[in-house]
Amino acid sequence: MKSWKLAIAGVAISLVMSSASYAAKTDLVLGIVLEPPHLDPTAGAAAAIDEIVYANIFEGLTRIGAKGNVLPALAESWAQSEDGKLYTFKLRKDVKFHDGTSFDAGDVKFSLDRARGDKSTNAQKGLFSAIDTVDVVDPLTVKVALKQPSGDFLYNMGWGDAVIVAPESAGTNKDKPVGTGPFEFDSWAKGSQIVIAKNAGYWGKPALLDKATFRVIPDPAAATAALLAGDVQAFPVFPSYETIPQFQADPRFKVVIGTTEGETVLGMNNKKPPFDNQKVRQAIAHAIDRKSLIDGAMFGFGTPIGSFFPPHHPAYIDLTAETAYDPEFAKKLLAEAGHPDGFKTTLKLPPPTYARRGGEIIAAELREIGIEAEIIPVEWAQWLDQVFKNKDYDMTIVSHTEPNDLNIFSRDDYYFNYDSPAFKDLIKQIDATSDGVERTGLYQQAQKLLTKDVPAAFLFQLPKTGIWDAKIEGLWENGPIQANDLTAVKWLD
Amino acid sequence: MNIGKALANRSFCVGLIVTSLIALVALLSFVWAPYPVGAFDIAGKLKPPSAAHWLGTDHFGRDILSMIMVGSRNSIAVASVSVAIGAGIGVPLGLWGAATGGFVDEVLMRLNDLVFAFPALLSAVMITTVFGPGAINAIIAIGIFNIPVFARVARAAALSLWSREFVIAAGAIGKSPALITRDHILPNLASLLIVQATIQFSLGILAEAGLSYVGLGSQPPMPSWGRMLFEAQTMIGLAPHMALFPGLAIVITVLGLNLLGDGLHDVLDPRFQ
């Protein structure tokens, strides 16, 4: 008898041991290039915030899915009135914030009113500009009245800047974010990493990971080393393009080249001579060889663009031929503009590889047509202050990674200093149009106008260069919005 | 200087040959380099060494040999001007301190200590961050930290000379300290200062490469050895030659200068004669 028991115990133990060692991993370390300044998506423009909290910690009424489509989130369903000006949102039941307080219509009203209020520090107040009033009907129903019909309203409510926060925790979200998402904030070691953990009380389908760590690795060489060594198991936006082929050849890794909303542009100060002359801007656009730029700076990863619109969008038209590489024509345009011998100018470059390397190539190409552009490398803080805020620059290179951001060229006081009544009018029409076909037509008119005016030289669409362990599943292939949605991520085997 | 003795000193000879070769290459680059360094050829990027490109091409398809040749100008210019700044200000300060002694000497040396207290490269990083990256600011930053080095060497050697008989004799016949310094102290220091200058020169080349490596030295399109190394860093698996050759250029130059300095020390030092 005794030996029987022993044998059974032995088998049981070995079964437990083996199942433990074969159970799939439930923690994940992701590499990110930039550390967020804080973790409140309703109070900062930094993409790095959304890359951690969006869909993981915070949720909005709607959310943007992996294909860029609008999905229900905290709003279970909605109805739109006949005239398109009134939305009625039906909210989910039994939703709790991470601090235990419950979610109801009051939180929605609070969040939307806070975001569009006078004291709002929201970086994308434009998302809420269509809203007239927000009314609580009952704890699970909210009515949002718009000033005019808006084709983008449901999409806008899915942005990270429009997530729902609780009045109890809204003030402290920067350091200790409290949302309703499938993950809750765990810890933040400044300069090193941010950890989020599974929210056991989540209302929806629970997360498959128990823990996710976002490790900050700004240096491309260190990013390569960390991935190879297994210190990080996923790099959703890998910064070192030249080492991608090495990972493509390695069966331990999966390399996924997807699309992003990042239009990379050579921004020009449209109010500062000689860039106030359209011919000068056109000359610069014609002097740039996008192919060698993408090959040289991005090692071939990137899609050339001729206007400010993502190539994967249904309304995209390829306008690259309009400003094709033609240095002779560029010289002719410069001469017509009164600069036959070119001129001296500056080119301020923020830290990312696409800007620093791309800047060297563009400066060399501009030299060919007589423009001497002095390269000035700047850090992000300096770039935001000098270029973005104070418009103290001649030319700069940057990627605009927000989705649906064609309207930046219609904003007064935006850093391009571009002021076109015709374009502003087009954007107004787009905003007020819900009809798909009509919208597409307007989008295409807007693209053509930008290509003709060249408020910035349009270079290429930034790729989403994702590299992760071949045994990981569920990470987004494309980047329709700035996010690393981990809700469906799991380890195979 | 004893020519025969100098030629018998192996490190002096090797150092002199290497250093002169590099100086020649830098001079040559003014009139000729295999390819213009401003010319990008993206299609021909990352090519290994070949007959057309002896040291291969970089990530923009530029010829690495040409980059190294033109880059040597940058290294030599930054190092020599910063040594000139250091010696030009540091030596007079050191001599002044030694000649007057007392309070002036004390103040000068404590100021020296203050500059010395910061690691040179760290302070150079600080200066170039505040005033903006660029070759000129790199020169100033490295130059400033050469000052106390020369001031100390000059002062220490001058102090021991001030107690020598010929100096005391010169003082006894009524020569002013300034004249004594010019006629008796400085000539006897010259060899020491030359040796120090050689060593500081090689340190200057290293410092310039270090600053350029972190992006604070001379800016593109001017080629710089340090920046070439930085750019090669992420491509080491693809094109190791991109890192190898600028690295070798730095090593050979610094080694040559150190050997020369060592040799000069042996050849010029009166104690070994």
Side-chain angles (χ1 to χ4, degrees):
Chain A
M1 278 304 273
K2 254 191 175 169
S3 58
W4 265 108
K5 275 186 184 166
L6 262 177
I8 290 169
V11 169
I13 287 171
S14 64
L15 269 177
V16 168
M17 302 258 303
S18 64
S19 68
S21 61
Y22 281 106
K25 275 166 76 175
T26 55
D27 63 323
L28 176 63
V29 184
L30 296 102
I32 50 172
V33 175
L34 283 176
E35 181 167 39
H38 58 79
L39 292 172
D40 185 354
T42 66
I49 303 172
D50 287 317
E51 282 169 10
I52 289 165
V53 302
Y54 186 78
N56 295 330
I57 294 181
F58 288 107
E59 295 171 306
L61 287 174
T62 62
R63 55 161 298 180
I64 311 300
K67 293 196 174 71
N69 44 340
V70 178
L71 300 170
L74 288 174
E76 195 171 55
S77 60
W78 50 82
Q80 195 182 359
S81 66
E82 237 3 70
D83 63 357
K85 281 166 68 173
L86 184 69
Y87 281 87
T88 310
F89 290 97
K90 190 88 196 124
L91 304 180
R92 282 190 203 276
K93 268 188 296 199
D94 301 327
V95 176
K96 285 210 175 333
F97 282 95
H98 300 147
D99 60 358
T101 55
S102 57
F103 158 83
D104 60 28
D107 296 308
V108 175
K109 181 172 167 56
F110 167 78
S111 299
L112 297 183
D113 286 348
R114 174 174 172 264
R116 62 203 183 93
D118 293 336
K119 278 188 274 178
S120 164
T121 51
N122 200 296
Q124 304 284 351
K125 281 177 98 166
L127 296 177
F128 311 95
S129 60
I131 299 178
D132 188 24
T133 55
V134 181
D135 290 309
V136 175
V137 179
D138 62 54
L140 293 177
T141 315
V142 179
K143 272 191 166 40
V144 180
L146 305 184
K147 293 171 191 153
Q148 70 273 342
S150 162
D152 283 331
F153 179 65
L154 288 172
Y155 186 88
N156 288 350
M157 290 302 102
W159 276 53
D161 305 82
V163 296
I164 304 302
V165 296
E168 294 87 351
S169 49
T172 53
N173 276 343
K174 284 188 172 178
D175 293 314
K176 196 182 175 310
V178 172
T180 55
F183 289 92
E184 53 189 21
F185 173 74
D186 182 84
S187 63
W188 183 358
K190 294 252 158 99
S192 160
Q193 62 183 33
I194 294 166
V195 182
I196 60 175
K198 183 176 177 168
N199 168 16
Y202 185 53
W203 57 266
K205 196 168 166 254
L208 302 165
L209 293 172
D210 285 335
K211 197 178 105 176
T213 305
F214 293 90
R215 192 161 293 158
V216 185
I217 306 180
D219 178 47
T224 307
L227 258 180
L228 283 173
D231 289 342
V232 303
Q233 294 110 33
F235 232 112
V237 185
F238 187 65
S240 175
Y241 307 106
E242 54 270 34
T243 44
I244 291 175
Q246 186 184 343
F247 288 99
Q248 280 170 328
D250 192 330
R252 289 178 298 158
F253 298 98
K254 196 158 29 177
V255 177
V256 179
I257 309 294
T259 58
T260 69
E261 300 298 316
E263 294 88 6
T264 311
V265 303
L266 174 75
M268 292 178 263
N269 197 338
N270 281 240
K271 285 224 172 88
K272 191 171 173 186
F275 301 101
D276 55 347
N277 187 331
Q278 189 189 356
K279 286 221 161 91
V280 170
R281 302 198 300 269
Q282 283 172 337
I284 288 173
H286 280 289
I288 298 168
D289 180 7
R290 296 189 187 88
K291 186 182 177 320
S292 67
L293 181 66
I294 293 170
D295 282 349
M298 307 291 292
F299 279 74
F301 298 101
T303 314
I305 50 171
S307 187
F308 196 79
F309 216 67
H312 52 84
H313 195 287
Y316 171 79
I317 37 175
D318 186 353
L319 294 166
T320 46
E322 303 289 314
T323 47
Y325 175 55
D326 188 348
E328 286 313 311
F329 184 56
K331 269 188 208 159
K332 212 180 113 219
L333 282 171
L334 264 191
E336 282 172 26
H339 300 279
D341 303 319
F343 52 87
K344 273 195 158 74
T345 183
T346 61
L347 175 58
K348 286 191 173 164
L349 301 176
T353 310
Y354 67 75
R356 291 275 166 94
R357 256 189 224 154
E360 275 196 63
I361 296 174
I362 288 177
E365 286 174 347
L366 292 182
R367 224 175 292 133
E368 299 286 315
I369 64 162
I371 300 175
E372 280 294 330
E374 186 200 344
I375 289 174
I376 305 174
V378 291
E379 295 304 315
W380 272 122
Q382 287 173 298
W383 187 87
L384 285 170
D385 183 57
Q386 297 175 10
V387 179
F388 195 72
K389 214 170 120 217
N390 293 315
K391 298 164 205 82
D392 170 24
Y393 79 107
D394 296 320
M395 295 191 290
T396 186
I397 297 178
V398 77
S399 204
H400 286 263
T401 54
E402 292 90 3
N404 212 4
D405 54 357
L406 188 61
N407 63 13
I408 57 173
F409 288 97
S410 72
R411 289 185 202 166
D412 292 315
D413 211 33
Y414 204 64
Y415 79 101
F416 299 119
N417 269 335
Y418 172 63
D419 188 7
S420 157
F423 190 80
K424 282 181 184 165
D425 189 50
L426 272 174
I427 291 293
K428 256 198 207 125
Q429 289 183 47
I430 291 173
D431 270 347
T433 310
S434 326
D435 178 66
V437 181
E438 218 177 303
R439 258 176 103 94
T440 301
L442 290 168
Y443 272 139
Q444 294 181 344
Q445 276 184 45
Q447 292 176 55
K448 283 181 192 150
L449 183 59
L450 288 183
T451 303
K452 191 175 112 286
D453 270 1
V454 205
F458 305 104
L459 307 175
F460 54 84
Q461 195 75 11
L462 210 60
K464 182 171 178 313
T465 47
I467 300 182
W468 47 82
D469 195 302
K471 293 198 288 293
I472 297 173
E473 203 182 70
L475 279 164
W476 282 10
E477 178 186 331
N478 299 318
I481 194 161
Q482 298 150 341
N484 286 308
D485 179 2
L486 299 179
T487 44
V489 175
K490 64 172 183 199
W491 286 88
L492 299 174
D493 77 10
Chain B
M1 189 164 103
N2 183 331
I3 303 281
K5 188 176 168 229
L7 291 180
N9 186 311
R10 204 175 295 160
S11 57
F12 175 79
C13 290
V14 174
L16 187 67
I17 290 168
V18 171
T19 314
S20 330
L21 272 178
I22 285 159
L24 275 177
V25 166
L27 286 175
L28 178 66
S29 77
F30 280 100
V31 289
W32 179 83
Y35 293 86
V37 292
F40 289 24
D41 171 24
I42 305 289
K45 70 181 179 196
L46 300 176
K47 290 272 183 295
S50 64
H53 297 278
W54 290 1
L55 303 185
T57 60
D58 73 355
H59 59 303
F60 291 145
R62 288 175 296 190
D63 181 58
I64 290 181
L65 177 61
S66 312
M67 297 273 289
I68 289 179
M69 285 175 66
V70 178
S72 68
R73 275 192 288 200
N74 183 51
S75 291
I76 291 174
V78 171
S80 51
V81 178
S82 61
V83 166
I85 292 174
I89 300 175
V91 172
L93 283 181
L95 294 178
W96 184 31
T100 29
F103 183 67
V104 173
D105 188 29
E106 199 63 33
V107 170
L108 285 176
M109 286 306 116
R110 292 302 77 76
L111 283 177
N112 255 334
D113 288 345
L114 190 73
V115 180
F116 242 152
F118 295 94
L121 202 57
L122 180 75
S123 313
V125 167
M126 196 170 73
I127 289 174
T128 43
T129 317
V130 172
F131 296 105
I136 305 288
N137 287 336
I139 288 174
I140 295 171
I142 302 169
I144 286 177
F145 290 92
N146 275 330
I147 295 173
V149 176
F150 282 100
R152 289 209 163 186
V153 169
R155 176 179 173 274
L159 271 185
S160 72
L161 285 174
W162 274 100
S163 58
R164 296 279 288 276
E165 292 81 357
F166 68 95
V167 176
I168 297 170
I173 59 167
K175 251 184 162 174
S176 73
L179 278 180
I180 295 176
T181 300
R182 194 193 72 188
D183 296 342
H184 302 292
I185 307 281
L186 196 53
N188 281 295
L189 284 180
S191 62
L192 212 57
L193 292 176
I194 288 171
V195 171
Q196 193 62 43
T198 320
I199 293 166
Q200 290 311 116
F201 195 91
S202 76
L203 289 178
I205 285 186
L206 267 185
E208 193 279 333
L211 284 178
S212 297
Y213 178 80
V214 294
L216 297 172
S218 66
Q219 295 302 317
M222 181 71 197
S224 149
W225 293 351
R227 207 178 54 251
M228 289 173 78
L229 271 183
F230 167 74
E231 287 164 349
Q233 188 173 275
T234 52
M235 320 229 182
I236 199 117
L238 286 173
H241 65 272
M242 254 182 87
L244 181 65
F245 295 118
L248 273 180
I250 296 173
V251 169
I252 291 173
T253 311
V254 171
L255 188 71
L257 282 165
N258 278 343
L259 285 174
L260 182 67
D262 239 22
L264 277 174
H265 179 256
D266 295 348
V267 174
L268 292 177
D269 196 319
R271 277 170 299 182
F272 294 114
Q273 275 171 3

